[in-house]
Amino acid sequence: MEGRCQSVLATLVVLAGLAACGSGNEIIEGPQNITVLKGSEARFNCTISQGWKLIMWALKGTVVLSITPTESIITNDHFTSASYEEGDNFISEMIIHDVQLSDAGQIKCSLQNSDRDGSAFLSVQVMGPLLTPESSLVVIVDEPCNVTCRASGWTPLPDLSWEIGVPMSHSSYYSIPEPKDLQSAVSILTLTPQGNGTVTCVAEMKGLYVQKSVTVNLTVVQLPLDSIDKPGTSLPTWAIVLLAVSLSLLFILIVVLIIIFCCCVSRREKKESSYQSEIRKSASVKTNKDTSGTKLKSGNENYGYSSHEPRTTKAASLPAKSSDSSFPEPCDRRQPHQGSDHHQPGPASHPQVSFRVTSPKKVRNVTLV
């Protein structure tokens, strides 16, 4: 019994000595806040006085690395350690390899049997690609042109700027975040070039002295005088849109005019057809009236009408005078009996007097009505 009591007392004395030794250790300087890029390394230092027994590193409340005076207890290759001596002090360094966004958070360095610790914060930034639509552009001298640069997938968004290496008369740019992508931004440079050269888009991370750039080559040419007449000359977007809208409106106007013209023609044909039918009706009525009038007057004859043919025949039927008479007959010499015969009333007879003169040979016909 006495031997056992002595061993227990010895153990308690050793533990008390260890606790006393550990209680004298302290963290002189804890880790500092740092910001790193995704995929790089993050290093945190913790300066401790001599006599320490166990150092523990925790990430967001979880111990990921333990260090004793003889070895490092590594549970994940993502976290490793290094140690340095600085006078009477000991420096413990934790290294995080291939930092990811999930590593961002609080880092804590602590000692066993000590209430004191040192903490810091790890910030992770993401540098995405920096792109331009084309690596080279052909522009017109003294004509404004635009050069676009896009930073995609950056956290946080970078500061975008331009470095101009061409002779120009005017330049300006502006940068805006894309509304549909919170990790992307666009910068547009507007300049009026006067010669060949380059323009460089520069993206700089906030809080870090790192940047990325992309260069665009500008080739300046003269505007041909006949470029407007060439069939291959391209129009600006606004001109194409305006032309398309104008053609559409013109087409609609033509269709409306055609419809109106067809309606007018159809109405006119209807009016003409009705008018012609009325004319035909009136003409037929007038024809019927004329026909009935003619039938009523057909019973009356004109007794004073006579053609020349019967007169000639009757004159020829008169008795011929002797041709050997050398003197003409007197004009007042008539035959009373023949005159009475000629004046007999009749519907077809007309009084006629004939004179026959032998010299000169002339025939005169007189018709008395």
Side-chain angles (χ1 to χ4, degrees):
M1 286 293 293
E2 291 180 359
R4 290 181 178 178
C5 290
Q6 290 178 356
S7 64
V8 171
L9 290 173
T11 303
L12 293 173
V13 171
V14 171
L15 291 175
L18 290 175
C21 294
S23 62
N25 300 329
E26 63 180 2
I27 296 176
I28 300 173
E29 186 178 1
Q32 303 295 319
N33 297 335
I34 61 172
T35 301
V36 297
L37 290 175
K38 177 184 176 182
S40 62
E41 291 184 350
R43 294 175 177 265
F44 294 93
N45 294 330
C46 187
T47 303
I48 306 169
S49 62
Q50 292 293 340
W52 59 274
K53 298 301 178 180
L54 181 64
I55 302 173
M56 293 174 292
W57 288 93
L59 173 61
K60 294 186 287 188
T62 301
V63 176
V64 295
L65 184 63
S66 299
I67 303 169
T68 65
T70 58
E71 62 178 350
S72 299
I73 302 172
I74 299 173
T75 58
N76 190 343
D77 293 337
H78 187 55
F79 305 93
T80 61
S81 66
S83 58
Y84 311 95
E85 294 288 342
E86 188 181 57
D88 294 337
N89 298 325
F90 178 83
I91 299 175
S92 175
E93 183 179 43
M94 182 183 72
I95 305 171
I96 304 177
H97 302 275
D98 191 18
V99 176
Q100 301 298 316
L101 287 174
S102 59
D103 296 330
Q106 187 182 43
I107 303 294
K108 183 180 290 186
C109 171
S110 61
L111 296 176
Q112 186 181 17
N113 301 325
S114 175
D115 295 334
R116 296 187 61 184
D117 58 25
S119 62
F121 194 85
L122 172 61
S123 299
V124 180
Q125 295 185 356
V126 180
M127 178 182 287
L130 188 64
L131 304 172
T132 57
E134 296 178 355
S135 60
S136 61
L137 293 175
V138 178
V139 296
I140 300 173
V141 64
D142 289 330
E143 290 291 335
C145 65
N146 294 332
V147 184
T148 305
C149 177
R150 183 173 185 267
S152 177
W154 290 61
T155 305
L157 293 178
D159 293 329
L160 297 175
S161 60
W162 292 86
E163 296 178 357
I164 302 176
V166 296
M168 49 80 187
S169 59
H170 172 75
S171 68
S172 63
Y173 73 91
Y174 64 92
S175 302
I176 56 173
E178 291 190 358
K180 296 183 180 180
D181 189 357
L182 299 179
Q183 296 182 342
S184 300
V186 176
S187 182
I188 300 176
L189 169 67
T190 302
L191 76 159
T192 305
Q194 295 179 336
N196 299 334
T198 61
V199 291
T200 303
C201 178
V202 180
E204 185 175 357
M205 296 295 297
K206 298 177 181 179
L208 295 175
Y209 296 100
V210 292
Q211 62 183 19
K212 183 180 285 188
S213 63
V214 60
T215 301
V216 178
N217 296 318
L218 295 183
T219 302
V220 180
V221 298
Q222 295 288 338
L223 178 63
L225 297 177
D226 57 345
S227 59
I228 300 177
D229 300 332
K230 290 183 179 179
T233 303
S234 60
L235 295 175
T237 305
W238 65 267
I240 296 175
V241 173
L242 182 61
L243 182 61
V245 173
S246 301
L247 291 177
S248 301
L249 295 177
L250 180 61
F251 177 76
I252 294 173
L253 181 60
I254 291 174
V255 172
V256 171
L257 291 177
I258 291 174
I259 294 173
I260 295 174
F261 177 77
C262 293
C263 293
C264 294
V265 170
S266 62
R267 291 181 180 178
R268 184 176 180 182
E269 289 179 352
K270 289 180 181 179
K271 290 182 178 179
E272 289 181 357
S273 61
S274 60
Y275 176 76
Q276 290 177 356
S277 63
E278 293 294 333
I279 292 298
R280 292 192 187 95
K281 288 181 181 179
S282 60
S284 62
V285 170
K286 186 176 182 181
T287 303
N288 294 333
K289 291 182 178 179
D290 294 342
T291 304
S292 60
T294 303
K295 289 181 178 179
L296 292 175
K297 295 179 181 179
S298 59
N300 299 325
E301 293 183 0
N302 187 5
Y303 293 99
Y305 174 79
S306 176
S307 61
H308 293 284
E309 293 179 359
R311 297 172 186 172
T312 306
T313 305
K314 201 166 186 177
S317 63
L318 294 176
K321 303 293 178 180
S322 61
S323 57
D324 54 355
S325 172
S326 59
F327 297 98
E329 295 181 3
C331 294
D332 57 348
R333 189 176 182 177
R334 303 176 181 176
Q335 296 179 3
H337 297 285
Q338 292 180 357
S340 61
D341 294 336
H342 284 289
H343 285 81
Q344 292 180 359
S349 62
H350 300 280
Q352 294 181 359
V353 178
S354 299
F355 297 94
R356 185 178 182 85
V357 182
T358 57
S359 178
K361 294 180 179 182
K362 294 182 179 180
V363 177
R364 295 181 180 178
N365 293 327
V366 179
T367 302
L368 300 176
V369 179

